[in-house]
Amino acid sequence: MNILVTGGGGFIGSHLVDLLLKQGHSVRVLDNFSTGHRSNIPLSNSALQVVEGDIRDQMTVEQTVSGVDAIVHLAAVASVQASVDDPFGTHEVNLIGTVNLLEAAKKHSVGRFVFASSAAVYGDVKQLPVCEDIPLQPLTPYAADKLSSEFYIDFYRRQYGLESVIFRFFNIFGPRQDPSSPYSGVIGIFMERAIADLPITVFGDGDQSRDFVYVADLAILLCRSVESDQPLIKPMNVGNGKGTNLNQLLDYLHEFTGRPLDVSHFEPRLGDIRHSLADNRRLIEMMNYQCIYPVVDGLRLTYEWCLDRSRMNSDAVCGRIS
Ligand code: NAD
Ligand code: UD2
């Protein structure tokens, strides 16, 4: 198949690109590399075509969609905080960008449209695990744009017969996740700091928990959803169905590094959710898939990747000095 991956240079997108190429597909990436990196994708692979462009640009989107069988739409401003700071700017990417892609998909009769939605559409839910059918309560511009995108996708499905798949990702982690911002995923931040022997900040008592999913599981799911010819109409949670709290994460990290960690506790972040956990029964039923990477295995693989990267960085610095 000929598959377009928007945001293919990013954390999740680049893992999907690797897998799609491995499965023998031709892949086109549309990315403006605002947070993604060319170095994340195998540029020399002849089955990969990279279009550096913006999903806000209608003409670029239309030209890029021409000739593809399916679209996996991952490009977004993925930071919730960025959407709070700049609602208009992020809205243009996170909603208008989606509508641009849907219009182009309609025009070019694309077979399937797979979308990266988020657990953020649920808001702060007290009754866990969270099932897809509870009343939705998007609390931020990011969540509102994800939910609006879901509604637009549903409209194009009903009106024009566009086959669509909507996944609501919980907390995804793994290699290539950017740890550089304070709002980056907690696992990337903790690992980078533990390896560099820097202090680690825990907001609150560390008992808060998340449903962490290793990125390789997500790539398999996305790949299968593109290849499937089954109708997958209802949105699906992507979660392990198991919670891990921050103190457990720190215990694992302690075990990996073999040395004590420098951990300080601060006040909980304003609006922080205490526990988040997916009801993943629909995913298992509709995709016939249950995550194969236990969190601890994913953590170990991520730790090894972070360690390699830190060694490469320090070699580069030493090379420059000597
Ligand atoms: P990421 O920032 O690594 O990837 C996003 C990619 O989109 C980047 O390569 C970026 O350069 C590209 N991009 C951004 N704006 C663009 C634009 N205007 N035009 C073209 N390309 C643009 O983030 P990620 O974690 O890989 O997230 C991928 C998707 O998954 C996003 O839609 C995000 O909202 C969603 N998601 C992620 C998580 C998570 O835990 N990482 C959770 C829920 C949902
Ligand atoms: C995730 C998503 C966010 C949004 C939200 C919806 C990521 C990176 N963020 O936020 O985009 O979808 O879910 O509910 O996927 N923490 C620390 N120390 C740190 C960093 C974080 O203690 O240095 C805590 C943080 O306060 C929180 C937990 O770790 O309690 C997880 O934080 P996160 O930013 O990784 O993810 P989350 O679930 O808050």
Side-chain angles (χ1 to χ4, degrees):
M1 285 171 81
N2 202 354
I3 300 160
L4 171 63
V5 182
T6 72
F11 158 51
I12 295 170
S14 62
H15 286 275
L16 174 64
V17 168
D18 286 344
L19 184 60
L20 291 172
L21 290 170
K22 201 168 142 202
Q23 297 293 102
H25 298 293
S26 294
V27 179
R28 194 176 292 170
V29 163
L30 173 60
D31 202 306
N32 68 355
F33 297 104
S34 49
T35 55
H37 305 280
R38 284 181 169 270
S39 56
N40 281 345
I41 43 182
L43 297 169
S44 58
N45 190 316
S46 59
L48 173 69
Q49 190 192 350
V50 178
V51 179
E52 180 158 357
D54 202 300
I55 59 167
R56 287 169 291 189
D57 186 74
Q58 250 177 311
M59 183 94 84
T60 304
V61 169
E62 227 214 271
Q63 284 167 355
T64 311
V65 166
S66 168
V68 304
D69 303 306
I71 299 174
V72 183
H73 178 33
L74 303 173
V77 177
S79 156
V80 172
Q81 190 58 39
S83 82
V84 174
D85 297 341
D86 178 17
F88 185 69
T90 52
H91 175 75
E92 279 196 303
V93 178
N94 292 355
L95 184 62
I96 307 297
T98 303
V99 179
N100 283 340
L101 279 150
L102 287 166
E103 268 297 290
K106 177 187 98 181
K107 183 168 178 202
H108 294 287
S109 306
V110 170
R112 204 155 254 243
F113 190 95
V114 179
F115 178 63
S117 187
S118 165
V121 300
Y122 296 117
D124 192 0
V125 182
K126 297 288 174 237
Q127 204 173 345
L128 299 174
V130 184
C131 124
E132 291 86 348
D133 293 329
I134 64 159
L136 302 172
Q137 239 193 327
L139 299 175
T140 57
Y142 171 83
D145 283 335
K146 287 291 182 190
L147 185 55
S148 306
S149 293
E150 290 193 14
F151 288 145
Y152 272 90
I153 291 165
D154 196 49
F155 168 74
Y156 278 77
R157 180 184 63 75
R158 285 180 283 104
Q159 190 78 7
Y160 307 112
L162 177 66
E163 288 264 4
S164 56
V165 186
I166 293 168
F167 288 115
R168 294 179 181 155
F169 304 163
F170 279 65
N171 293 61
I172 313 299
F173 74 99
R176 300 182 198 147
Q177 191 164 27
D178 177 15
S180 62
S181 131
Y183 294 100
S184 300
V186 66
I187 291 179
I189 297 178
F190 279 12
M191 286 206 175
E192 193 189 45
R193 301 191 72 81
I195 288 169
D197 262 330
L198 291 169
I200 289 175
T201 302
V202 173
F203 298 110
D205 60 7
D207 192 40
Q208 67 265 48
S209 64
R210 296 293 183 268
D211 190 332
F212 292 107
V213 174
Y214 186 58
V215 68
D217 267 313
L218 178 59
I220 296 170
L221 269 168
L222 291 168
C223 183
R224 284 197 185 178
S225 72
V226 173
E227 289 169 339
S228 163
D229 49 16
Q230 296 259 97
L232 298 164
I233 294 169
K234 294 181 175 174
M236 284 172 273
N237 286 339
V238 178
N240 253 310
K242 293 189 187 79
T244 305
N245 68 40
L246 299 196
N247 293 325
Q248 288 169 308
L249 285 183
L250 292 169
D251 286 346
Y252 287 132
L253 259 182
H254 180 193
E255 188 191 314
F256 298 162
T257 57
R259 32 176 216 269
L261 305 173
D262 177 2
V263 178
S264 314
H265 290 263
F266 283 75
E267 283 298 298
R269 276 179 175 163
L270 204 67
D272 206 15
I273 288 170
R274 186 79 175 147
H275 299 292
S276 168
L277 183 66
D279 181 331
N280 60 2
R281 283 175 298 178
R282 187 181 285 173
L283 183 78
I284 294 167
E285 190 188 313
M286 286 172 68
M287 298 295 300
N288 192 20
Y289 189 81
Q290 201 151 13
C291 293
I292 53 180
Y293 289 87
V295 169
V296 60
D297 292 2
L299 286 173
R300 198 178 290 280
L301 290 165
T302 310
Y303 179 73
E304 279 160 15
W305 181 85
C306 291
L307 210 52
D308 280 351
R309 196 185 51 163
S310 126
R311 281 194 195 115
M312 266 165 28
N313 288 344
S314 64
D315 286 353
V317 170
C318 294
R320 250 184 268 133
I321 290 167
S322 59

